[in-house]
Amino acid sequence: MASSPEHKKQKMDTQTSSAEAAGTSSGPRIILEQPQVEDGMDPAAKKLAVNGNTPDPYGIRGVNGKDKNSKQVATNVTAQVHHVSRAKRGQVMGTRGGFRGCTVWFTGLSGAGKTTVSFALEEYLCHHGIPAYSLDGDNMRTGLNKNLSFTKEDREENIRRVSEVAKLFADGGVVCLSSFISPYAQDRQEARKLHEEVGLPFFEVFVDTPLDVCEGRDVKGLYKKARAGLIKGFTGIDQKYEVPEKPEVTLFTNKSTVQECCQQLVKYLQSRGVVPESAVETVKELLVPADCREAARKEAESLDTLNITKLDTQWVQVLSEGWATPMTGFMREREFLQCQHFNCLLDGGVINQSVPIVLPVQTEDKERLEKQEAFALVYEGRRIAILRTPEFYAHHKEERCCRQWGTSHPDHPYIKMVMESGDWLVGGDLEVLERFRWNDGLDEYRLTPNELRKKFRDLGADAVFAFQLRNPVHNGHALLMNDTKRRLKERGYSKPVLLLHPLGGWTKDDDVPLDTRMKQHHAILEEGVLDPDSTVLAIFPSPMMYAGPTEVQWHAKARMATGANFYIVGRDPAGMPHPDKTRDLYDHSHGRRVLTMAPGLTQLEIIPFRVAAYNKKKSAMDFFDPEKKDDFLFISGTKMRALARAGEDPPDGFMAPTAWKILCEFYQSLSKK
């Protein structure tokens, strides 16, 4: 899938770096003026000038491009020491914290995919708050190095200059991505040495694409010209390419997609401490591996136990399946404080985590378990997980509620549960013994983030847009989803896929229950209101907290684990009436506005809600036009429920008939009770 919401999917048919490949007779010719002897020149430079060679008194090219690094031509110069340390630069560069400057050097044949992968990695890193910049062969040849030809000497000088530029970027705290054929091993070694001498990491990436594949891509027809003898000295045809002996990473672009190559590099950079774990697009599941499960069960049977509620168990499921990646269990106090005060986790970078995922315990349980290295979590008599290295800390309930909900009103349904829970919280690493099954006939829809990623790959999705909901779908919702799909196609995506993702954890008593909502959603798909071939219907296991803009961030962040890169936010998401029944608890516009500003969500593009209402003239749901307001009818949730209880039909075009029938049956069953 696409790595960026701003760009359509990149294809492996890369553009050939023509300037790097060779010089052509059709390209621009560089005509140099006759050299002039200047006062203050180094004697060697004067000699070169007098002999008719181009001088380089300021050390840009070296001596005639032959002695690149060993000889200092410029005189009367002294290296200056910066006042700002690399550590300090690391604190202010990007949003991830820490010095991450390095050079990633892509080498390979023309058309191998160097620049394509480099640009994808640059985009990925920047979207994750890591400063990165790509140096491309063609771009450098039209600027800094435009006075260089394609002789062996000038090619060496080209790489020397680029190496110096890359070193400066890296020293400034930027991940510098250099994409150059750089056919000579000695030049690449000199580039490495230049970095290592000043303590900067240098990683050689060999883009190992066979010549026939590169030649088959040949977007600019340069291989064809080289074969015809129109281009001389073309690398891979009549100019040797020296294959790296021990590159840090080898990429096979003829076997892997751009995104797979990008992730391979991200994982490598993580292993070298350049990229924090939070920037690696992997899902951290907390399920015990199958081959260790029996031993874990036996250990759990030997441990002291803590009985937990259904609500707590739902949070165990959320953690175990990786929705809260990179969390490793229930929050310890440090994580809890970061979440409460900053809506983020800060260790390893800025990771949005706006709601606390915590485990309350009673005082007697805390006193019984606080000296244990591990204990088992039990739900309905069954050991479901092991919690290791527990950390107990005070549960300041009023402060927690005020920070998360903006109120501590006891009649708020989730706040009520918080106030009735234990006076302590316990954090620790979770090991969940098995996949959760609720045996309610809906488990097939409880797809984990990794399963959803596979589903999207199988569908050939190049964009995934998610829609969070806890209510039935009417045609106004469908209008927004279908319009989003249309707009994504206009932007160049060929197979955008909708993740229709109803919340499946705890909800308040007067909400439509999950089984009814799932039946209603199925009816919407069966009637073709939404395209069943490009829609994945699945259940999001999180409980509902009704915490307004704070919770909306959690809903968006969790969907990132599925690989979704677009998120549709509705009107008053995660809101509810104030418990005193005098007004809404949150401003209906704040959720979508906060999402566009929230830290740690930069790789997710927010699709803002557009107000839809029933257009009486069109007999259909339509985007509201204030200039034609008399044409529109707003049907509130209260009005919809009243019609359903009475068994009356809404206006034609408001909701698919079979879906409406399901709602009527549900509300009428409540009346009978």
Side-chain angles (χ1 to χ4, degrees):
M1 289 179 291
S3 61
S4 162
E6 286 81 21
H7 294 80
K8 65 182 180 180
K9 181 182 178 184
Q10 297 179 359
K11 298 181 179 178
M12 211 62 238
D13 291 336
T14 59
Q15 292 190 352
T16 303
S17 180
S18 56
E20 264 294 287
T24 73
S25 58
S26 60
R29 297 179 61 195
I30 307 300
I31 301 176
L32 300 177
E33 296 181 1
Q34 290 297 317
Q36 301 293 320
V37 178
E38 299 178 11
D39 292 337
M41 273 191 182
D42 180 88
K46 280 187 178 182
K47 184 178 179 181
L48 286 172
V50 171
N51 290 339
N53 293 311
T54 305
D56 187 23
Y58 306 111
I60 295 174
R61 295 187 67 191
V63 182
N64 203 26
K66 293 181 180 179
D67 191 358
K68 303 185 293 296
N69 300 309
S70 60
K71 185 168 290 187
Q72 176 71 45
V73 178
T75 58
N76 301 314
V77 293
T78 304
Q80 301 298 306
V81 178
H82 289 273
H83 293 182
V84 179
S85 68
R86 289 176 182 170
K88 185 61 179 178
R89 286 197 194 99
Q91 291 177 4
V92 299
M93 293 285 283
T95 59
R96 292 288 177 176
F99 181 80
R100 306 189 185 281
C102 67
T103 290
V104 181
W105 191 280
F106 294 86
T107 177
L109 295 174
S110 177
K114 301 181 298 298
T115 296
T116 299
V117 176
S118 171
F119 282 1
L121 181 58
E122 176 188 29
E123 196 169 47
Y124 181 95
L125 293 175
C126 288
H127 285 167
H128 285 78
I130 300 170
Y133 191 84
S134 288
L135 299 176
D136 170 69
D138 279 2
N139 292 348
M140 295 297 289
R141 288 276 190 177
T142 58
L144 178 65
N145 295 345
K146 67 181 180 180
N147 64 329
L148 298 179
S149 69
F150 290 88
T151 64
K152 185 177 187 297
E153 291 76 13
D154 275 4
R155 282 187 167 189
E156 292 174 352
E157 174 61 15
N158 180 53
I159 297 305
R160 188 194 71 81
R161 292 186 191 178
V162 170
S163 303
E164 292 282 2
V165 171
K167 183 185 75 171
L168 293 176
F169 271 100
D171 192 45
V174 175
V175 178
C176 186
L177 311 170
S178 300
S179 303
F180 297 84
I181 290 174
S182 44
Y184 306 127
Q186 180 61 33
D187 292 344
R188 299 192 298 266
Q189 182 57 34
E190 291 291 345
R192 181 188 295 275
K193 181 181 177 183
L194 190 67
H195 285 71
E196 292 178 345
E197 285 177 343
V198 292
L200 290 169
F202 180 95
F203 309 116
E204 186 177 42
V205 177
F206 176 34
V207 186
D208 187 3
T209 308
L211 176 61
D212 62 323
V213 175
C214 295
E215 196 166 354
R217 292 171 179 169
D218 201 15
V219 177
K220 296 182 180 179
L222 298 180
Y223 278 99
K224 185 177 180 180
K225 289 181 179 180
R227 290 291 188 190
L230 300 176
I231 301 177
K232 301 297 183 182
F234 194 92
T235 305
I237 303 299
D238 57 352
Q239 176 72 48
K240 183 179 179 182
Y241 174 80
E242 298 175 2
V243 174
E245 293 183 0
K246 294 182 179 179
E248 278 77 4
V249 179
T250 299
L251 301 178
F252 300 98
T253 63
N254 58 319
K255 299 176 182 178
S256 303
T257 66
V258 178
Q259 287 70 37
E260 288 168 345
C261 290
C262 183
Q263 283 302 307
Q264 182 181 344
L265 288 168
V266 170
K267 290 177 183 177
Y268 176 77
L269 292 175
Q270 181 208 352
S271 73
R272 299 301 300 268
V274 175
V275 171
E277 182 182 7
S278 59
V280 182
E281 276 197 355
T282 54
V283 177
K284 185 181 285 296
E285 292 187 344
L286 306 182
L287 294 164
V288 174
D291 58 347
C292 302
R293 202 164 291 155
E294 189 58 35
R297 285 198 183 100
K298 288 181 180 178
E299 181 188 2
E301 290 295 331
S302 70
L303 296 173
D304 285 343
T305 61
L306 175 68
N307 288 302
I308 62 175
T309 66
K310 184 175 182 178
L311 181 70
D312 298 331
T313 303
Q314 289 175 353
W315 284 118
V316 172
Q317 179 179 1
V318 166
L319 290 165
S320 72
E321 294 177 356
W323 297 99
T325 296
M327 288 179 60
T328 60
F330 284 107
M331 286 180 172
R332 300 176 187 275
E333 189 170 28
R334 178 179 175 84
E335 295 172 306
F336 176 72
L337 290 174
Q338 291 175 357
C339 169
Q340 286 274 274
H341 291 272
F342 308 112
N343 280 0
C344 291
L345 303 178
L346 301 176
D347 298 330
V350 177
I351 306 154
N352 193 282
Q353 185 59 53
S354 59
V355 301
I357 301 180
V358 292
L359 182 59
V361 294
Q362 302 294 334
T363 299
E364 54 268 32
D365 288 321
K366 180 251 185 188
E367 292 173 349
R368 178 173 58 87
L369 298 169
E370 62 183 341
K371 294 182 180 180
Q372 301 297 320
E373 289 297 317
F375 53 83
L377 302 183
V378 176
Y379 175 63
E380 293 187 341
R382 184 167 57 93
R383 287 168 167 81
I384 62 171
I386 296 172
L387 191 144
R388 297 195 185 278
T389 60
E391 176 189 338
F392 293 87
Y393 54 100
H395 189 185
H396 299 290
K397 300 176 187 178
E398 184 177 12
E399 181 188 4
R400 173 189 170 185
C401 292
C402 289
R403 290 190 182 279
Q404 183 172 348
W405 284 275
T407 179
S408 59
H409 198 295
D411 290 336
H412 184 290
Y414 203 104
I415 290 174
K416 184 174 186 293
M417 293 190 293
V418 170
M419 292 301 188
E420 293 172 352
S421 67
D423 293 334
W424 300 90
L425 298 174
V426 59
D429 295 338
L430 269 184
E431 297 174 5
V432 180
L433 300 180
E434 62 183 359
R435 174 81 175 270
F436 276 86
R437 302 291 180 190
W438 295 95
N439 300 315
D440 57 358
L442 298 174
D443 284 330
E444 64 178 298
Y445 299 103
R446 292 187 173 94
L447 302 179
T448 67
N450 278 329
E451 289 171 339
L452 285 167
R453 284 174 177 250
K454 182 178 184 304
K455 186 84 170 176
F456 300 143
R457 287 195 300 270
D458 292 345
L459 288 171
D462 57 356
V464 175
F465 57 108
F467 188 68
Q468 141 83 29
L469 65 165
R470 73 175 196 269
N471 292 312
V473 174
H474 58 64
N475 288 359
H477 299 132
L479 176 67
L480 181 57
M481 289 182 266
N482 287 327
D483 184 66
T484 299
K485 179 180 178 181
R486 176 189 61 78
R487 286 191 283 163
L488 290 175
K489 284 193 169 185
E490 288 177 351
R491 286 170 56 170
Y493 294 98
S494 59
K495 188 62 181 297
V497 170
L498 166 65
L499 172 59
L500 187 63
H501 215 199
L503 183 138
W506 174 89
T507 56
K508 54 190 176 68
D509 292 340
D510 59 350
D511 279 355
V512 178
L514 178 62
D515 60 343
T516 300
R517 286 185 280 130
M518 289 297 289
K519 291 176 185 176
Q520 196 265 352
H521 300 341
H522 265 293
I524 292 289
L525 291 169
E526 289 169 358
E527 290 211 23
V529 177
L530 296 172
D531 178 16
D533 294 330
S534 61
T535 300
V536 174
L537 175 61
I539 294 172
F540 176 45
S542 175
M544 187 73 198
M545 290 161 279
Y546 308 94
T550 299
E551 184 176 3
V552 168
Q553 296 174 65
W554 158 243
H555 291 167
K557 175 262 174 79
R559 275 32 180 255
M560 284 163 44
T562 71
N565 41 14
F566 297 89
Y567 184 79
I568 301 174
V569 58
R571 181 188 182 278
D572 194 21
M576 60 170 283
H578 194 284
D580 66 13
K581 300 180 175 28
T582 61
R583 61 193 185 281
D584 286 339
L585 186 54
Y586 307 105
D587 185 292
H588 68 84
S589 70
H590 284 182
R592 64 179 181 271
R593 291 167 64 187
V594 165
L595 274 189
T596 63
M597 301 181 283
L601 298 178
T602 53
Q603 62 268 46
L604 196 66
E605 182 173 340
I606 306 304
I607 307 296
F609 178 80
R610 296 176 64 189
V611 177
Y614 185 75
N615 189 317
K616 294 178 286 186
K617 288 189 174 181
K618 293 182 179 180
S619 296
M621 296 299 288
D622 194 9
F623 291 123
F624 179 67
D625 183 352
E627 295 183 0
K628 301 178 180 178
K629 61 182 180 180
D630 293 338
D631 294 346
F632 289 88
L633 174 66
F634 285 90
I635 302 175
S636 66
T638 302
K639 175 68 172 176
M640 183 187 74
R641 288 187 288 272
L643 289 172
R645 287 191 183 96
E648 299 177 10
D649 291 333
D652 289 342
F654 174 75
M655 186 181 292
T658 55
W660 179 253
K661 182 179 179 182
I662 291 167
L663 281 188
C664 287
E665 290 173 352
F666 166 70
Y667 280 112
Q668 287 173 350
S669 70
L670 294 181
S671 300
K672 292 177 182 177
K673 291 178 183 178

